[in-house]
Amino acid sequence: MDDLRLIRGILHGRRDDFAALVERYQRAVYGFVVRQVGDGDAADEVTQIVFLRAYSALRTFRGDASFKSWLLQIAVNECRSWARRRRSLREVGIDDVAEPELPAVDVDAERDLDRRGLRHHVQRLPPRQRSVLSLRVFADLPFAEIARIEGITENAAKVNYHHAVKRLREWLE
Amino acid sequence: MTHSDRQRDCDQVAPLLVDLVEDRLDARQAERVRAHCAQCADCRAMAAALREIPAALRAEDDLAPEAWLRRRDAIVAAFEAMVTADRASRSGFDARLLLPVAAAVLIGLAGVISLRSDPLGSGHTRPARAAFVLALNEPQLVAELAEILGETDPWPAQAWQLDAAGDGVAGAWLTTHLDEPDWEIGAIDSE
């Protein structure tokens, strides 16, 4: 069943259609989100919020871009909100909120393309490069849609992606 | 060719190299990029990295199907709570309360649908933590949540413990915002 048909079903309150849409896109959303927030539990929460926000805004989806691209735009916004909230919590001096573990990078111990090493290195990338890389690799979005989400040109999206991979390569060498 | 000339060439080739690896160039463009790579060891290495690193990253996401099913079910439970709140909003209450109210519904539902058996590492349920995050979007509601929880700080860090405060607390909070004290959230809370 295509996305638009599922969306119509969801707007009529059909749970199974929502479940189908979640199943179709949760890997893309979670895969993107976890690289932005850096913590599995926080990523689960943000992913859940992304789908709730998508539901609450579903009537505004006009189909100008793909549903997946629209959903990932929400994910990008939620990750930015999450980062702002974390900064706010720090600024008001709350130090008893559970903080996600910051990536503890031991370059010497992680020279191979092993799973743990790569995951941690991605989190060291500058935000724009990390976002572009994640949208391409984990959400499998075309560069044209990544560019629209990030508000940059398609060429700039490819250059950011190239720079992200270049940095990862240098850190892994 | 000077070093700066070569670097300028590499900069121009960078986006094309991405396209070459992903097989999006026509024959003429591909030939141009390959000609550059034949002269440039760094771009040859980058071409290999553009193939290997994304593939290795994708391999990270090979989770067991059951893990994805659990995630999906938690999100669908939240959706059901949202639909319940949505119906209530259409029956006349302030639509701005939709998200935080839905979040509070999650707290009530947590007990009903046994999400409490899926505690996070911090010991709090995912719906309760999601409720906190959602409520942060409404500063006024955050302040009220803080009051309920006995927090004087405008950013109630201890709201993470919303679930520990008990569902009845969430219900009492909701009834102060709703004209209809018998609103269905109360029924969920009492279960």
Side-chain angles (χ1 to χ4, degrees):
Chain A
M1 193 183 292
D2 66 33
D3 289 350
L4 287 177
R5 191 168 292 188
L6 289 174
I7 289 166
R8 279 196 292 273
I10 293 166
L11 290 173
H12 284 92
R14 283 202 284 272
R15 174 196 180 281
D16 288 351
D17 287 347
F18 184 80
L21 211 61
V22 171
E23 191 156 345
R24 189 171 292 175
Y25 293 119
Q26 65 173 345
R27 286 174 176 80
V29 173
Y30 180 85
F32 170 78
V33 168
V34 75
R35 270 80 189 187
Q36 312 312 304
V37 304
D39 170 77
D41 289 342
D44 275 331
E45 290 163 19
V46 174
T47 299
Q48 183 166 304
I49 290 166
V50 167
F51 279 101
L52 291 180
R53 287 228 179 272
Y55 167 69
S56 66
L58 207 51
R59 289 177 199 281
T60 69
F61 175 67
R62 295 192 304 271
D64 299 338
S66 67
F67 176 75
K68 184 181 184 180
S69 175
W70 184 77
L71 188 64
L72 266 298
Q73 176 76 69
I74 295 173
V76 167
N77 294 341
E78 280 305 319
C79 287
R80 288 177 183 157
S81 296
W82 183 88
R84 277 197 298 275
R85 286 195 295 267
R86 275 193 63 195
R87 278 197 297 273
S88 297
L89 289 170
R90 285 204 195 103
E91 283 167 9
V92 295
I94 292 175
D95 56 11
D96 55 350
V97 174
E99 290 279 340
E101 281 184 31
L102 292 173
V105 178
D106 179 351
V107 175
D108 289 336
E110 297 181 356
R111 288 187 182 280
D112 297 330
L113 291 179
D114 64 71
R115 294 179 172 196
R116 185 166 183 276
L118 262 181
R119 179 180 291 261
H120 284 225
H121 286 308
V122 168
Q123 287 161 233
R124 296 172 64 199
L125 290 169
R128 171 63 60 71
Q129 289 179 23
R130 188 172 65 227
S131 183
V132 169
L133 179 85
S134 302
L135 289 169
R136 180 74 195 118
V137 172
F138 304 110
D140 204 27
L141 282 185
F143 281 106
E145 293 195 27
I146 295 171
R148 191 185 55 74
I149 288 172
E150 292 287 334
I152 56 179
T153 65
E154 186 173 344
N155 197 62
K158 289 173 186 172
V159 169
N160 269 280
Y161 179 79
H162 181 280
H163 287 176
V165 173
K166 187 174 186 180
R167 282 196 189 215
L168 291 174
R169 176 188 147 217
E170 288 167 356
W171 289 334
L172 291 162
E173 278 178 355
Chain B
M1 184 180 278
T2 66
H3 176 74
S4 62
D5 287 341
R6 183 179 293 277
Q7 187 57 51
R8 193 172 62 241
D9 269 5
C10 292
D11 290 343
Q12 288 174 351
V13 160
L16 296 172
L17 202 56
V18 173
D19 286 333
L20 179 74
V21 168
E22 298 189 5
D23 204 20
R24 279 191 301 268
L25 294 183
D26 61 33
R28 190 179 59 81
Q29 288 175 311
E31 186 53 40
R32 180 190 155 203
V33 177
R34 287 197 188 97
H36 172 85
C37 289
Q39 304 293 319
C40 179
D42 195 47
C43 285
R44 280 200 303 279
M46 267 309 296
L50 284 164
R51 289 190 183 89
E52 292 165 6
I53 290 178
L57 286 168
R58 287 189 184 100
E60 285 186 338
D61 275 359
D62 283 343
L63 297 183
E66 306 82 62
W68 290 115
L69 286 176
R70 278 197 299 275
R71 283 205 172 98
R72 183 203 64 185
D73 290 347
I75 294 169
V76 171
F79 162 73
E80 289 171 333
M82 180 73 91
V83 169
T84 303
D86 198 11
R87 286 195 195 109
S89 78
R90 281 198 295 269
S91 71
F93 99 111
D94 188 342
R96 289 174 304 171
L97 290 172
L98 180 61
L99 278 175
V101 165
V105 177
L106 290 177
I107 299 164
L109 280 175
V112 178
I113 61 180
S114 301
L115 279 177
R116 284 184 190 284
S117 62
D118 181 27
L120 300 175
S122 63
H124 307 307
T125 62
R126 185 165 301 147
R129 296 178 70 184
F132 174 62
V133 175
L134 284 166
L136 281 178
N137 293 309
E138 296 283 350
Q140 177 59 29
L141 297 178
V142 169
E144 292 175 24
L145 277 172
E147 191 177 337
I148 289 168
L149 295 165
E151 290 285 321
T152 54
D153 195 290
W155 293 95
Q158 297 306 316
W160 296 107
Q161 296 173 358
L162 200 55
D163 52 334
D167 296 338
V169 174
W173 173 69
L174 284 168
T175 55
T176 65
H177 290 82
L178 300 171
D179 294 328
E180 301 170 27
D182 293 327
W183 196 54
E184 55 195 293
I185 294 295
I188 293 171
D189 276 343
S190 67
E191 286 190 52

